[in-house]
Amino acid sequence: RLPVNVSGRVLLVPVQEISHCIAEHELVTVHTSRGSYTTDYTLAALEARLDPARFFRAHRALLVNLEHVAAIDDMVGGRAVLLTHGGARLAVSRQSSRKLRAMLQV
């Protein structure tokens, strides 16, 4: 479980519910099917804490739970976009696209 602060209480978010985590302006938002939560963790700290077989660093500002990925769309220049089961479209860097394809063997 991942502890996040919500309105003065600590909410324990089950890791399997996390779809992706995005860093924006020094804040990290954890996205789940139930909602989105801002956390005090850095993206690097989350990456170290979460299972690397399940969570993939798709971009310097994006960590994705591969179990929530429904499709991979190829883009120009070797980049890709991940489509989650929840409908989010997440850009993957060119270098991470290569790592992702090797990891998934596609």
Side-chain angles (χ1 to χ4, degrees), residues 66-80:
L66 295 175
E67 294 182 15
H68 286 259
V69 174
I72 303 171
D73 292 335
D74 291 325
M75 303 301 286
V76 176
R79 295 178 184 222

Side-chain angles (χ1 to χ4, degrees), residues 7-18:
S7 301
R9 72 159 56 157
V10 177
L11 180 66
L12 298 175
V13 177
V15 171
Q16 64 271 15
E17 290 184 11
I18 298 172

Side-chain angles (χ1 to χ4, degrees), residues 13-80:
V13 177
V15 171
Q16 64 271 15
E17 290 184 11
I18 298 172
S19 168
H20 58 286
C21 304
I22 298 177
E24 295 175 301
H25 309 291
E26 299 183 24
L27 291 176
V28 174
T29 305
V30 176
H31 296 270
T32 72
S33 56
R34 296 179 193 211
S36 299
Y37 311 99
T38 303
T39 180
D40 292 333
Y41 288 104
T42 64
L43 207 56
L46 285 174
E47 184 177 19
R49 182 180 177 108
L50 299 170
D51 181 4
R54 177 181 284 177
F55 286 86
F56 178 73
R57 185 72 172 258
H59 192 275
R60 66 181 175 90
L62 177 64
L63 189 61
V64 178
N65 184 342
L66 295 175
E67 294 182 15
H68 286 259
V69 174
I72 303 171
D73 292 335
D74 291 325
M75 303 301 286
V76 176
R79 295 178 184 222

